[in-house]
């Protein structure tokens, strides 16, 4: 299953294409698209590489977004 990270927003802020980012990360564009489209979760080493590239905490990839949690 996928992840909750919206790396597309990070990429847009950097004005990079999917092709550029995939090339910089050393992965195929189709694989990068699957990660960006939240179809697949990257392995830890790649999550760390992506997070370093976009400057966010890599563990955010693996956080479960549980909206059922009540703040009441």
């Amino acid at each position: 299953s996928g992840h909750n990270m919206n790396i597309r927003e990070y990429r847009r802020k950097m004005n990079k294409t999917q092709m550029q980012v995939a090339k910089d990360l050393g992965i195929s564009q189709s694989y990068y698209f699957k990660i960006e489209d939240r179809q697949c979760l990257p392995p830890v080493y790649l999550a760390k590489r992506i997070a370093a590239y976009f400057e966010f905490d890599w563990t955010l990839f693996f956080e479960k977004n549980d909206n059922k949690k009540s703040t009441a």
Side-chain angles (χ1 to χ4, degrees):
S1 69
H3 57 86
N4 296 307
M5 274 307 298
N6 191 353
I7 58 177
R8 186 171 284 131
E9 288 300 312
Y10 284 95
R11 180 173 59 77
R12 283 182 179 149
K13 280 176 192 158
M14 289 173 77
N15 290 312
K16 296 261 191 187
T17 64
Q18 288 187 341
M19 183 81 84
Q20 286 173 307
V21 175
K23 194 176 171 190
D24 289 345
L25 294 170
I27 59 175
S28 70
Q29 187 183 355
S30 58
Y31 184 36
Y32 175 76
F33 174 79
K34 282 183 179 175
I35 295 168
E36 188 175 279
D37 202 43
R38 306 180 200 192
Q39 293 174 38
C40 66
L41 188 64
V44 170
Y45 80 90
L46 187 55
K48 287 180 175 177
R49 195 181 292 168
I50 294 167
Y53 186 85
F54 291 122
E55 299 182 331
F56 64 81
D57 185 348
W58 69 273
T59 60
L60 293 173
F61 267 115
F62 302 98
E63 278 190 357
K64 287 278 171 275
N65 191 1
D66 190 359
N67 293 322
K68 294 189 198 86
K69 277 181 189 155
S70 173
T71 50

